[in-house]
Every structure is written in C-alpha cells, then in structure tokens.
Amino acid sequence: MRSTEALLRGDTAIDFGAFREAYALSQPYRIMEITRLKAQADLAFRMEEWGEASRLAVEIIRLNPTFAEAHMLLRSLYLEVGEAEESSFHYTVARGLVDSILESGDGSENRPFIVVDDAEVRLLLRLHSWGERASSRSVGRGRQDARLDVVGPGGARTVWFRFLRPLVEAEPEDEEDEDDF
C-alpha cells in the first residue's frame, strides 16, 4: 500500500480515510492478536517499561497501521522519554486517523461514522466521553451497521456507524486455549 510506505518514510500528508479503507478491504482481520498485544502494551506502559511498550505498539502497527490507539500509545511513550519528533509523528498519524472517521459522517442514521472495526467505535466512544447504553447491529447487502444509544456530556443520543470491513467469518481461535486444563 502506497500510504503505508509513505508513513514509513515519515510522510503524514496522506488521505487517512482512503488509507483506512484500503487497509480494511485488503488486509486480514487480526483483532484477537491486536487486542492481546494492546493489553500487553498498555500494561507495559503503566509499568513504565518503555522498551517493551514500544515493541508491542510497533508490532500492533505492523499488523494494522490504521490502529490509532497504537499511535496514541507511542505518542505518549515518546513524550515520556523525551523524543519530541517521534511523539509528534505519532500524534499526527493518530489525529489523521481519528479525523478521517469524524469527517466521514456525523453519526446520524443518514450520515453514519465510517469505521474499520469495533476498535474504532470504542475509540470514538472514549474520545467523546460517551457511555454505551444499548446497541444493535444490522446486516444487509454485504455490510454491517451499528446503532448505539449513548449518554455523554451533551446528554443522550443515538450514534450510527457503518463498517468498512466486509463481513467475513470470525478469526479462528488459537489452538492453545489457556483456559483448558
């Protein structure tokens, strides 16, 4: 993907919406692995294990360069260790990714926010300080939409999302299940 190559060179003047869409339509869905790595990266960050937190966040970005939360984590990490230029780069990428979601719609039924996956939905909920009260999904014509009733600083409202990623089977579970004895 040209946008990924441009980002790796440090070029942040890309169309982040097109970047997210190209990723969603062309790459395998690795949400279970990314979720696991994100939890480990967050823990390493809280424990001030900067090297491990950085390694894990970079691995997440390798799997999904559109995962804004990994860029946010790296921004914070680089701020902590005094790497202003790296921090600024990851802030710009995270901001571009989030802005591309916000620019995709207004969250109404007619102009839903266009998201890659549930991680982007959760990110928007957090950024707006919205708490989810109820949700429903609709599937049709090869696409998936979500309707969330939320409450936040501005009161209660309904927010709509449309998922970029085509409907596919769920990611297979790891063969080694840690809960098995």
Side-chain angles (χ1 to χ4, degrees):
M1 293 169 53
R2 288 189 187 132
S3 297
T4 302
E5 294 166 5
L7 277 178
L8 290 174
R9 289 189 314 269
D11 180 6
T12 57
I14 65 170
D15 180 337
F16 283 98
F19 179 51
R20 289 175 42 256
E21 183 173 358
Y23 170 78
L25 298 175
S26 67
Q27 299 301 311
Y29 197 46
R30 308 288 299 265
I31 194 62
M32 298 304 286
E33 186 173 359
I34 290 170
T35 300
R36 179 183 56 78
L37 291 168
K38 174 74 169 70
Q40 292 174 341
D42 287 343
L43 178 61
F45 182 84
R46 286 191 307 275
M47 308 251 330
E48 299 182 3
E49 295 173 357
W50 308 129
E52 181 66 1
S54 175
R55 183 190 71 75
L56 291 163
V58 167
E59 178 64 14
I60 293 168
I61 291 169
R62 186 187 66 74
L63 293 171
N64 179 355
T66 71
F67 196 78
E69 290 181 87
H71 291 284
M72 293 169 149
L73 183 93
L74 283 172
R75 178 214 184 226
S76 297
L77 186 145
Y78 286 125
L79 273 177
E80 287 290 333
V81 299
E83 296 284 339
E85 191 173 321
E86 287 291 327
S87 177
S88 177
F89 170 77
H90 287 286
Y91 171 80
T92 301
V93 173
R95 184 85 241 176
L97 293 167
V98 170
D99 285 349
S100 73
I101 299 168
L102 296 173
E103 293 165 1
S104 69
D106 60 11
S108 67
E109 185 174 8
N110 292 329
R111 293 191 57 233
F113 290 120
I114 307 299
V115 295
V116 170
D117 54 29
D118 285 314
E120 289 187 346
V121 171
R122 288 188 307 274
L123 177 60
L124 280 189
L125 293 178
R126 249 190 352 271
L127 292 175
H128 284 93
S129 300
W130 288 333
E132 184 179 339
R133 295 171 60 184
S135 68
S136 63
R137 301 260 175 154
S138 63
V139 177
R141 294 182 234 140
R143 72 173 195 228
Q144 179 179 202
D145 295 329
R147 175 184 183 264
L148 279 67
D149 294 326
V150 299
V151 63
R157 72 174 280 200
T158 299
V159 184
W160 293 83
F161 297 90
R162 174 153 302 137
F163 292 83
L164 281 169
R165 186 173 297 283
L167 294 174
V168 294
E169 290 184 28
E171 180 178 337
E173 294 292 325
D174 292 337
E175 291 190 22
E176 293 179 26
D177 190 351
E178 296 175 11
D179 294 334
D180 288 347
F181 294 97

